[in-house]
Amino acid sequence: MNTGIERRWHDMGGLDSGPVPMEEHDFAIWEKRVDALMILCGGKGLFTVDGLRRALEDMGEEAFEKHTYYERWIAAINQNLIEAGVYSIEELGEKMEAVSRRGDTYGEAQND
């Protein structure tokens, strides 16, 4: 039956996507921070689950396939915070540059 609704690239509902890995894995600290950021910002009403889903779906197939689960989530959170006016793209760029100058490790950052 043709409903006239076409699937977008991210819609895998009902399709075979292969086996689901069942082994446990430990989350990296940054992944836990992404999860915490999502909970905190959502609790403050800065975005909704629907807003996050839209940002994930709009990022495009190439980006969606290239990035890990939490990389996609931080991109969606970032997009929603920019749209909410929490900060601008320019402010984000400036902050990223400042953080980059601190070094690659916590030890290097402490020497700043």
Side-chain angles (χ1 to χ4, degrees):
M1 179 171 127
N2 185 351
T3 62
I5 299 173
E6 292 187 33
R7 288 179 186 260
R8 288 184 65 193
W9 56 267
H10 57 78
D11 185 0
M12 296 185 65
L15 300 177
D16 184 13
S17 64
V20 175
M22 299 305 287
E23 65 273 357
E24 295 283 331
H25 80 278
D26 194 13
F27 294 97
I29 295 294
W30 76 269
E31 293 171 324
K32 292 179 181 183
R33 289 179 177 161
V34 170
D35 189 60
L37 183 63
M38 184 172 60
I39 292 167
L40 291 169
C41 291
K44 290 190 171 283
L46 296 172
F47 50 72
T48 65
V49 171
D50 293 330
L52 288 170
R53 181 176 179 169
R54 182 208 30 90
L56 287 165
E57 292 173 355
D58 287 349
M59 70 175 47
E61 184 174 7
E62 184 178 327
F64 195 87
E65 295 298 329
K66 174 183 165 188
H67 298 295
T68 67
Y69 179 84
Y70 282 102
E71 287 171 335
R72 292 190 301 260
W73 274 103
I74 195 61
I77 291 167
N78 183 58
Q79 182 63 36
N80 275 262
L81 292 176
I82 289 170
E83 290 172 4
V86 175
Y87 50 81
S88 68
I89 292 173
E90 292 78 18
E91 290 170 321
L92 175 62
E94 290 168 6
K95 182 57 84 172
M96 290 173 68
E97 188 176 307
V99 169
S100 180
R101 285 193 304 266
R102 293 181 197 162
D104 293 332
T105 68
Y106 287 117
E108 290 176 28
Q110 298 306 312
N111 294 329
D112 219 3

